[in-house]
Amino acid sequence: MQAYLENQVLIYFVFNVFILCMLALDLGVFHRKSHVISVRESLIWTGVWIALALLFNILIYYRYEFLYPGKGTEAALQYLTGYLIEKSLSIDNVFVFLLLFTFFKVPSEYQHRVLFWGIIGALLFRAVFIALGAVLIARFHWIFYFFGALLIFTGIKMALGKDRTINPEKNPVLRLFRKIMPVTAEYHGPRFFIREDSLLKATP
């Protein structure tokens, strides 16, 4: 059992290191200089990431087939199903990105950089929330009912507010941020923060 757990930890560690390396290559090497990404370049990168995901699916198949003969196909199908569902759900995010880019008037050459760091932030926050949720569930079993009620409430709210337009200007997080941190009226290259008149300010 100890050997199995150590093996699982090693696999998760290697997987996360690989993902971080790919993200570092994406921003630090291939997109080091800000530029407008063409449709052709976008399609190529989409193909690269999909190919990596499918390659990982093949690795899952062979690993499970080696450890648990006859279980490789089931494990690979479970991964592929989850991947396709997440891929289809992510289409909604594209429209949100476009809305935010339009609202903040993000120049085309900086959109990849903004999106990249936005995804990194989302991954970090997701990891924090998952860890906190796991701790809460381990200590308080009744928290399951709270999370269940929260999901039902959120689902109803989304269903009833389906036709409502999203207005970033009214977002409470954005309004709170602007109260705490001064924001410049213009962009200053690819920089997120600048020092102006000895005052730290955020760019749009």
Side-chain angles (χ1 to χ4, degrees):
M1 185 65 180
Q2 182 67 25
Y4 173 78
L5 289 174
E6 288 177 358
N7 186 39
Q8 289 295 101
V9 169
L10 179 63
I11 289 170
Y12 279 112
F13 176 76
V14 171
F15 173 75
N16 283 290
V17 168
F18 174 75
I19 294 296
L20 290 173
C21 287
M22 289 303 299
L23 291 173
L25 278 172
D26 183 58
L27 186 67
V29 178
F30 300 112
H31 295 97
R32 188 173 182 179
K33 292 183 179 179
S34 299
H35 64 281
V36 178
I37 297 177
S38 64
V39 174
R40 180 175 177 273
E41 184 181 356
S42 178
L43 289 174
I44 289 173
W45 274 108
T46 299
V48 168
W49 286 108
I50 291 175
L52 286 172
L54 295 178
L55 178 62
F56 183 69
N57 198 22
I58 294 172
L59 292 174
I60 287 176
Y61 170 79
Y62 281 110
R63 179 175 182 274
Y64 272 83
E65 198 63 30
F66 175 75
L67 293 175
Y68 315 102
K71 293 290 185 179
T73 302
E74 181 184 348
L77 281 174
Q78 286 179 355
Y79 167 82
L80 185 61
T81 302
Y83 177 77
L84 291 175
I85 290 171
E86 285 292 331
K87 198 70 174 172
S88 60
L89 290 174
S90 68
I91 299 300
D92 284 345
N93 293 338
V94 174
F95 295 103
V96 177
F97 297 151
L98 289 172
L99 175 69
L100 293 174
F101 286 156
T102 302
F103 175 79
F104 288 105
K105 297 181 177 63
V106 181
S108 298
E109 60 267 30
Y110 303 137
Q111 289 180 2
H112 177 273
R113 181 181 176 84
V114 171
L115 188 56
F116 178 92
W117 286 109
I119 290 171
I120 293 294
L123 290 173
L124 290 174
F125 275 111
R126 180 173 292 189
V128 169
F129 286 131
I130 288 173
L132 288 175
V135 171
L136 287 172
I137 288 171
R139 293 192 176 187
F140 311 104
H141 292 288
W142 55 264
I143 206 77
F144 270 116
Y145 300 106
F146 172 76
F147 285 148
L150 184 63
L151 283 172
I152 293 171
F153 172 75
T154 304
I156 293 172
K157 191 174 180 182
M158 288 176 67
L160 295 177
K162 192 173 181 180
D163 298 326
R164 292 194 309 182
T165 56
I166 301 172
N167 188 357
E169 188 67 46
K170 294 181 179 178
N171 186 284
V173 176
L174 178 62
R175 293 166 69 179
L176 177 63
F177 180 82
R178 284 179 169 172
K179 287 182 179 179
I180 298 171
M181 174 71 70
V183 181
T184 63
E186 299 176 350
Y187 284 90
H188 293 263
R191 296 162 67 185
F192 288 105
F193 298 94
I194 64 162
R195 192 164 290 280
E196 195 174 72
D197 300 326
S198 300
L199 188 66
L200 184 66
K201 294 183 179 181
T203 64

